[in-house]
Amino acid sequence: MAAYLTDAERKRLIDRLHAEGCSCVIRNGAQTRLFHERGVKDLYRLLNEEPALLDGAFVADKVVGKGAAALMIAGGVREVYADVISTPALELFTARGVRVVHTQEVPHIINRSHTGLCPVETLCRDCRTAEECLEPIREFIERC
C-alpha cells in the first residue's frame, strides 16, 4: 500500500505527467514510474504482469474513461488524479471508494479522431462493475 502522499508530492507527480509528456504517472511507495502508451495498454499490461505496482498506488493520468477506471480498480489503485474523467469512470471509482481528483468531468471519452466514442468506453458502456469490463478490454487489447 502506498504511503500517504502530501499535497506537494501529488502536485509534483501531476506536474511530471504534463512536463514529460506521459500518458500516466504511477507512484507506489518510493517507486515512481512513467508511462507513454496510448489508451489502456499500459494499465492492462501492469494489471497482468506487474500487479503489485498498482496495488495501493497513486495514479496521475491525462484521460480516464470507464475502461481505465476498471483496470485501476482491479489493480487496487488507491487514489487517482485525472485531467479529464468520464462520468461512468467517476461512478465506478465512487462505488469502490477510490479517492479521485479531476480537472474536468465529461459524459464520455471520445476517440482520437473526434468522430465518436472511445472504443474502450463503448465496450464497457453496459458493464455495471469494474470486473465486468475486464473481459471486453482483454479482447480489445488482443485484437489491437
Side-chain angles (χ1 to χ4, degrees), residues 26-39:
I26 299 176
R27 166 92 177 261
N28 197 337
Q31 185 177 22
T32 299
R33 301 254 307 270
L34 310 177
F35 297 90
H36 296 88
E37 284 280 347
R38 299 174 117 185

Side-chain angles (χ1 to χ4, degrees), residues 28-92:
N28 197 337
Q31 185 177 22
T32 299
R33 301 254 307 270
L34 310 177
F35 297 90
H36 296 88
E37 284 280 347
R38 299 174 117 185
V40 298
K41 289 179 185 174
D42 284 324
L43 290 170
Y44 180 81
R45 185 187 57 74
L46 287 172
L47 181 62
N48 288 285
E49 297 175 15
E50 300 179 68
L53 182 64
L54 293 173
D55 191 22
F58 169 83
V59 176
D61 202 322
K62 289 182 179 171
V63 178
V64 177
K66 191 172 182 179
L71 292 167
M72 290 183 211
I73 289 166
V77 166
R78 180 182 193 181
E79 189 174 344
V80 175
Y81 164 82
D83 286 338
V84 177
I85 191 166
S86 72
T87 299
L90 191 55
E91 290 169 352
L92 276 185

Side-chain angles (χ1 to χ4, degrees), residues 70-130:
L71 292 167
M72 290 183 211
I73 289 166
V77 166
R78 180 182 193 181
E79 189 174 344
V80 175
Y81 164 82
D83 286 338
V84 177
I85 191 166
S86 72
T87 299
L90 191 55
E91 290 169 352
L92 276 185
F93 284 132
T94 300
R96 290 297 184 90
V98 176
R99 181 179 189 262
V100 177
V101 174
H102 60 280
T103 301
Q104 181 182 11
E105 180 181 345
V106 296
H108 52 264
I109 304 301
I110 56 173
N111 63 24
R112 288 191 236 315
S113 61
H114 304 283
T115 58
L117 292 180
C118 160
V120 176
E121 190 98 341
T122 300
L123 289 172
C124 297
R125 179 179 33 216
D126 296 328
C127 298
R128 292 166 299 184
T129 66

